[in-house]
Amino acid sequence: MDKKYSVNKSEEEWKKELSTEEYYVLRQKGTERPYTGKFDLHFEDGDYHCKACNAKLFESEHKFESGCGWPSFDQAVEGAIEYIRDTSHGMIRTETVCANCGSHLGHVFNDGPKETTGQRYCINSVSIDFDPET
């Protein structure tokens, strides 16, 4: 990653701080298997933060059940996400990364709830952490 982010660490530092799976998804743009993440069917009130740098990314009021096997949101916190054109795997998609540290979160698609934003942020559970409302 060439861009400078607010949180800027070497890959060796990331490897020391993150688990093997977290590093694979967050820093190497991997994907967890569908229906295996702890936040897929998680609907408590609170906020979702970047697992790598703790930046607030999503609020629970924007989470919905999409049936895709990964946590889905129809809206991100303003300014929290950077959008990158992704042409890997023979597809054209929009990758979502944390605007604070550049870590891979997932992708955003235009097949979300029509009654809200029409967007579906398809996010890896391993890329986020949850902070319950107190």
Side-chain angles (χ1 to χ4, degrees):
M1 294 181 194
D2 299 333
K3 182 178 175 188
K4 294 292 181 193
Y5 292 93
S6 297
V7 174
N8 194 20
K9 299 179 182 181
S10 71
E11 291 308 307
E12 285 307 312
E13 289 174 301
W14 286 121
K15 282 181 184 176
K16 288 178 185 172
E17 293 179 19
L18 302 170
S19 72
T20 302
E21 183 183 23
E22 290 165 352
Y23 183 81
Y24 167 68
V25 173
L26 288 158
R27 305 306 303 170
Q28 296 182 310
K29 303 181 185 295
T31 303
E32 67 192 4
R33 291 190 344 250
Y35 305 103
T36 63
K38 65 182 175 179
F39 297 122
D40 180 25
L41 299 175
H42 180 266
F43 294 100
E44 292 178 33
D45 289 338
D47 299 321
Y48 294 85
H49 296 257
C50 175
K51 184 73 174 184
C53 74
N54 203 38
K56 182 177 168 182
L57 303 171
F58 301 99
E59 297 170 339
S60 59
E61 67 189 83
H62 297 290
K63 190 168 189 308
F64 68 97
E65 171 50 48
S66 69
C68 72
W70 291 276
S72 297
F73 302 87
D74 67 358
Q75 181 177 318
V77 170
E78 190 172 336
I81 304 290
E82 181 180 352
Y83 303 91
I84 301 169
R85 180 180 164 97
D86 177 1
T87 58
S88 65
H89 307 292
M91 297 179 269
I92 298 174
R93 302 178 290 175
T94 303
E95 178 190 8
T96 56
V97 302
C98 175
N100 193 51
C101 71
S103 291
H104 174 75
L105 304 170
H107 292 84
V108 62
F109 303 96
N110 291 320
D111 61 2
K114 299 294 181 228
E115 59 275 10
T116 60
T117 65
Q119 296 197 304
R120 174 176 57 95
Y121 287 80
C122 184
I123 305 298
N124 290 284
S125 285
V126 74
S127 295
I128 55 178
D129 227 339
F130 180 72
D131 184 21
E133 285 187 352
T134 52

